Amino acid sequence: MSWRFFEPPKLFFGENALFENGHLMRELGRKAVITTGKSSSRNGSLDDLKDVLDEQGVEYEIYNRVGENPSFDMLRNARKLFQGKSVDFVIGLGGGSPMDFAKALAILLSNPDLEVEEIYNASKYDKMLPVVEIPTTSGTGSEVTQYSVITSDEGYKGGFGTDFTFPTISFADPRYTVTMPTDLTMSTGIDALCHAIEGFVSRRSNRMVQMMASEAVNLIRDNLEMAMKYPDNLEVRERMMYASTLAGVVIAQSGTTVNHAFGYPVTTFKGVRHGQATGMFLIETLKVMMEENGQVVREAIKPFGDVENLEKFLEKLGVYNANITISDEDIENWSKRTSKAKHLKVTYGNFDYDTVRSIYEKVREKL
Ligand code: NAP
Ligand code: FE
């Protein structure tokens, strides 16, 4: 068995991680752009970041218009504002959306001739400004991955991720996540669960990654419901953040499977959050993967015992509670795309058009 493990970011984890280690940002330059949403001004993270940057004498501009599922248009807009302004590095502050956005903006700012639509094609560029990531959700693991997911003008999610698109430094402080409401806690935690399980069963996985994935699955099984019930419990929040960071390290090595591709149109066209939209397909996609490699799937979900128990867990947390209508035409369009997803290269099982279609139909019945 041959494999590699590549995890370049310097990660600082735990309460006050930013205060204690924020001085390292000074090495990245004198001027930063902070990409964020609106919630960072309500969970204390933006104030902390501003304090640290002020103390270090780093100048910054704040771009706080990053919405959920960042799009090409948001990128065009931000690029216009900051191109040619001697920006040295980009800080992504928030959930996966602002963190992914930071990576994409950092690429555009250091490759002025690159068209925004070319960003999915990493062979078109070879550099990126340094990126700092500060998560305020426990889900995507973007603080330790090379990936960035951006929605195209047509409404489809696509992404990039290569060796030089990892963040340079990340500060993961669970204090910033206590303000997450129940449904967001659920969705982001399920995203992390999918990363751990999908990363475990990926064809690109290895024993080292699987060890981390199992730890993440255990932590999520034991803590996600508690985090939903007791949002202020910092210890539980810390365990969820640890799980999501671990799961991020896992997918940085082995990638996600086609299960992630199933959820993308449900998010962009029906407005269901990323983690929930991904989690609702997990059982049906795992069943198909089991047809080719039952052993790896059984090992991945061992903390739950079997697929039935995993499904009960998802049901109990509300993963199937989505108030949406999916038409036959939606299923036809989505199936065409998902049955050609690039994730298929690393996914066990035969996900041809008919199989994909039947999975969409089965999940529609569950909602
Ligand atoms: P998100 O889209 O970043 O944020 C979802 C919502 O949560 C927003 O309304 C946001 O508000 C709010 N929010 C964020 N932190 C909060 C807090 N501490 N308290 C209260 N509200 C808070 O959610 P996400 O699930 O973290 O990220 C999803 C995105 O990441 C998707 O685009 C997905 O495709 C991508 N993703 C990336 C990777 C990767 O490896 N890079 C992996 C999986 C998914 P504001 O907007 O006002 O801040
Ligand atoms: Fe995800």
Side-chain angles (χ1 to χ4, degrees):
M1 187 170 76
S2 54
W3 50 270
R4 73 169 200 163
F5 188 88
F6 192 61
E7 193 51 50
K10 275 186 195 155
L11 168 69
F12 296 94
F13 186 95
E15 277 175 65
N16 297 315
L18 178 58
F19 278 123
E20 286 165 14
N21 309 284
H23 59 275
L24 291 173
M25 288 189 285
R26 182 69 186 79
E27 292 165 17
L28 304 181
R30 293 188 158 276
K31 182 163 181 188
V33 171
I34 302 171
T35 65
T36 191
K38 302 286 185 263
S39 62
S40 59
S41 58
R42 292 190 293 267
N43 59 34
S45 59
L46 184 60
D47 285 339
D48 283 3
L49 178 59
K50 289 200 280 192
D51 284 352
V52 170
L53 293 173
D54 286 340
E55 199 183 284
Q56 294 302 318
V58 175
E59 235 184 279
Y60 54 83
E61 288 195 51
I62 302 174
Y63 182 79
N64 69 356
R65 276 180 273 156
V66 185
E68 289 188 48
N69 311 304
S71 64
F72 282 171
D73 256 349
M74 291 183 208
L75 275 174
R76 289 187 188 105
N77 183 299
R79 176 191 225 173
K80 237 185 258 159
L81 289 171
F82 302 114
Q83 192 86 64
K85 289 227 183 136
S86 311
V87 174
D88 295 314
F89 64 106
V90 183
I91 307 174
L93 170 66
S97 297
M99 288 196 287
D100 285 3
F101 191 85
K103 292 172 189 164
L105 182 62
I107 287 169
L108 293 174
L109 293 181
S110 62
N111 296 276
D113 296 328
L114 187 76
E115 298 291 333
V116 169
E117 309 83 68
E118 291 174 324
I119 204 145
Y120 294 153
N121 183 354
S123 68
K124 296 255 181 192
Y125 46 90
D126 57 8
K127 51 188 187 301
M128 172 174 102
L129 291 183
V131 168
V132 174
E133 300 286 26
I134 307 170
T136 68
T137 61
S138 293
T140 68
S142 186
E143 70 279 9
V144 288
T145 75
Q146 64 277 54
Y147 307 122
S148 168
V149 182
I150 303 291
T151 303
S152 73
D153 292 327
E154 294 75 39
Y156 286 103
K157 274 181 183 260
F160 63 82
T162 189
D163 280 359
F164 59 86
T165 58
F166 279 93
T168 304
I169 312 179
S170 295
F171 302 102
D173 185 335
R175 287 182 306 134
Y176 303 145
T177 65
V178 297
T179 48
M180 281 197 290
T182 318
D183 56 339
L184 184 62
T185 301
M186 182 275 276
S187 181
T188 49
I190 294 295
D191 189 21
L193 178 69
C194 290
H195 294 164
I197 293 177
E198 292 177 48
F200 191 114
V201 304
S202 155
R203 287 184 198 271
R204 266 171 51 201
S205 197
N206 64 65
R207 290 309 297 164
M208 184 169 162
V209 156
Q210 290 178 335
M211 180 184 74
M212 294 182 181
S214 294
E215 177 72 356
V217 174
N218 273 311
L219 283 163
I220 295 165
R221 180 201 58 192
D222 294 342
N223 291 284
L224 180 50
E225 199 180 355
M226 290 241 282
M228 292 163 67
K229 270 196 192 145
Y230 308 105
D232 298 329
N233 186 324
L234 200 54
E235 275 173 38
V236 172
R237 291 294 195 180
E238 181 169 310
R239 282 182 230 130
M240 281 309 299
M241 184 163 253
Y242 177 49
S244 113
T245 303
L246 266 179
V249 174
V250 169
I251 57 167
Q253 315 310 315
S254 40
T256 51
T257 66
V258 76
N259 185 62
H260 254 65
F262 270 92
Y264 285 164
V266 179
T267 294
T268 55
F269 297 118
K270 304 293 170 184
V272 178
R273 287 212 163 99
H274 169 68
Q276 185 180 358
T278 313
M280 62 177 64
F281 295 99
L282 187 62
I283 297 298
E284 297 309 321
T285 58
L286 286 177
K287 283 183 185 163
V288 175
M289 293 179 212
M290 280 179 104
E291 290 168 13
E292 185 176 350
N293 193 341
Q295 193 189 337
V296 76
V297 174
R298 278 192 296 276
E299 249 188 88
I301 62 168
K302 214 176 191 170
F304 288 97
D306 54 26
V307 176
E308 287 70 34
N309 277 332
L310 174 59
E311 176 140 54
K312 279 186 202 141
F313 177 82
L314 299 174
E315 251 170 16
K316 188 170 176 206
L317 264 47
V319 169
Y320 300 115
N321 300 345
N323 205 359
I324 54 172
T325 323
I326 299 174
S327 69
D328 290 342
E329 199 191 339
D330 290 333
I331 290 187
E332 205 174 299
N333 289 335
W334 302 350
S335 301
K336 278 184 202 149
R337 224 180 152 86
T338 304
S339 59
K340 292 196 201 99
K342 60 178 192 245
H343 308 71
L344 285 168
K345 265 200 278 189
V346 301
T347 310
Y348 287 108
N350 173 15
F351 287 87
D352 58 16
Y353 175 83
D354 289 336
T355 310
V356 168
R357 199 190 160 107
S358 78
I359 291 176
Y360 275 120
E361 281 164 358
K362 280 183 196 150
V363 171
R364 175 168 65 179
E365 293 300 306
K366 295 186 193 189
L367 303 179

